[in-house]
Amino acid sequence: MTAQADETVCGRCFDEVEVELLRTPDVRLPTDLVGRVAQKDPFHWDNQPAIIRRVLPQPVVVLGEGAVESALMARGLAAAGWSR
């Protein structure tokens, strides 16, 4: 699962290289990108559940390592309904 080809992303939050990474399947994403994606408000994305599916399971690993603020990342995961 990848970001949709027509996914619009805030140019202030993510650059074109990062967007292309999100659109590329089977490529490990940088930890900082995973954290920023998962922490974004659900309305930041056209299809937030698809974006979260793209970065999973990496956010779970990042949460376990304590590398990011867990409350913000959990908000993004919960909004995507990832556990359903």
Side-chain angles (χ1 to χ4, degrees):
M1 181 68 59
T2 63
Q4 297 174 351
D6 61 347
E7 178 73 49
T8 57
V9 179
C10 172
R12 293 180 303 185
C13 299
F14 301 96
D15 62 33
E16 281 303 313
V17 171
E18 293 170 326
V19 173
E20 280 306 311
L21 282 173
L22 292 170
R23 291 179 179 150
T24 305
D26 303 320
V27 172
R28 185 159 178 84
L29 302 172
T31 300
D32 68 312
L33 177 59
V34 169
R36 288 185 294 125
V37 166
Q39 290 175 6
K40 285 294 174 191
D41 184 280
F43 300 108
H44 192 82
W45 309 101
D46 294 330
N47 186 345
Q48 196 255 358
I51 294 292
I52 294 298
R53 285 191 301 271
R54 168 60 180 104
V55 300
L56 279 173
Q58 286 182 255
V60 177
V61 173
V62 172
L63 281 170
E65 293 172 345
V68 297
E69 190 173 337
S70 60
L72 289 175
M73 187 175 287
R75 176 187 70 180
L77 295 172
W82 70 278
S83 61
R84 290 184 222 143

